[in-house]
């Protein structure tokens, strides 16, 4: 099946035609998004494909137009992502934001601060929902 034909069939709901289009466009889209948003490209690509599937019925054009359309959606999702990232700092677990206890011993406080930074660094490597769960359980006590 040619890509132009696949576009027409995919608009009509043909899953195999959409798979063919996806196989053609997805690697290119991911390379483009990686250049724009780095390691977060797979997440932005997922958002892009979600919108593509929602709006595919309204798309008009051939395979080249489809590629451009998908990359255009990806570009907008990447810009949205960068704007959101700018509003939400990526280092949400800054140890200096944690409340400090009574100062009893400088060495003990230093050891505790180092341990806290290490623990927070490890927690920051978890997926966001898991990190939040650990912080709510251990730090907040929920």
């Amino acid at each position: 099946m040619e890509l132009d034909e696949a576009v027409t069939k995919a608009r009509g709901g043909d899953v195999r035609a959409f798979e063919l289009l996806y196989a053609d466009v997805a690697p290119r889209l991911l390379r483009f998004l990686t250049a724009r948003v780095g390691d977060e490209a797979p997440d932005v690509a997922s958002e892009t494909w979600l919108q593509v599937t929602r709006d595919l019925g309204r798309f008009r054009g051939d395979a080249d137009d489809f590629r451009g359309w998908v990359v255009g959606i990806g570009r907008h999702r990447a810009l949205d992502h960068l704007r959101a990232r700018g509003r939400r700092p990526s280092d949400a677990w800054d140890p200096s934001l944690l409340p400090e206890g009574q100062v009893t011993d400088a060495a003990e406080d230093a050891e505790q601060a180092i341990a806290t930074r290490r623990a927070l660094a490890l927690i920051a490597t978890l997926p966001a929902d898991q990190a939040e769960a650990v912080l709510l359980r251990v730090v907040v006590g929920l």
Side-chain angles (χ1 to χ4, degrees):
M1 173 181 336
E2 288 186 31
L3 290 177
D4 289 338
E5 180 185 355
V7 169
T8 303
K9 288 186 175 185
R11 285 186 50 236
D14 186 322
V15 174
R16 289 197 184 276
F18 187 81
E19 289 172 350
L20 181 66
L21 293 171
Y22 180 87
D24 178 64
V25 177
R28 303 167 200 226
L29 176 66
L30 195 55
R31 283 192 299 272
F32 170 76
L33 293 174
T34 299
R36 300 288 300 173
V37 298
D39 292 340
E40 296 165 341
D43 293 335
V44 176
S46 295
E47 293 173 19
T48 301
W49 286 108
L50 181 62
Q51 184 172 346
V52 167
T53 58
R54 278 194 311 246
D55 297 344
L56 185 58
R58 293 191 300 253
F59 172 75
R60 300 288 181 257
D62 61 11
D64 288 335
D65 296 329
F66 180 79
R67 283 185 205 102
W69 180 66
V70 172
V71 171
I73 291 171
R75 180 181 171 277
H76 286 107
R77 296 292 67 79
L79 291 172
D80 291 346
H81 180 79
L82 292 171
R83 278 192 291 270
R85 187 168 62 184
R87 289 189 297 265
R88 290 186 311 257
S90 62
D91 187 14
W93 312 117
D94 182 3
S96 68
L97 298 177
L98 295 175
E100 295 188 29
Q102 297 263 342
V103 177
T104 54
D105 179 47
E108 188 178 304
D109 289 343
E111 287 176 15
Q112 187 173 14
I114 291 169
T116 299
R117 284 191 186 100
R118 285 183 185 155
L120 291 174
L122 287 172
I123 291 169
T125 64
L126 295 171
D129 58 340
Q130 291 178 6
E132 183 177 327
V134 169
L135 288 172
L136 288 172
R137 176 73 175 111
V138 176
V139 177
V140 180
L142 297 177

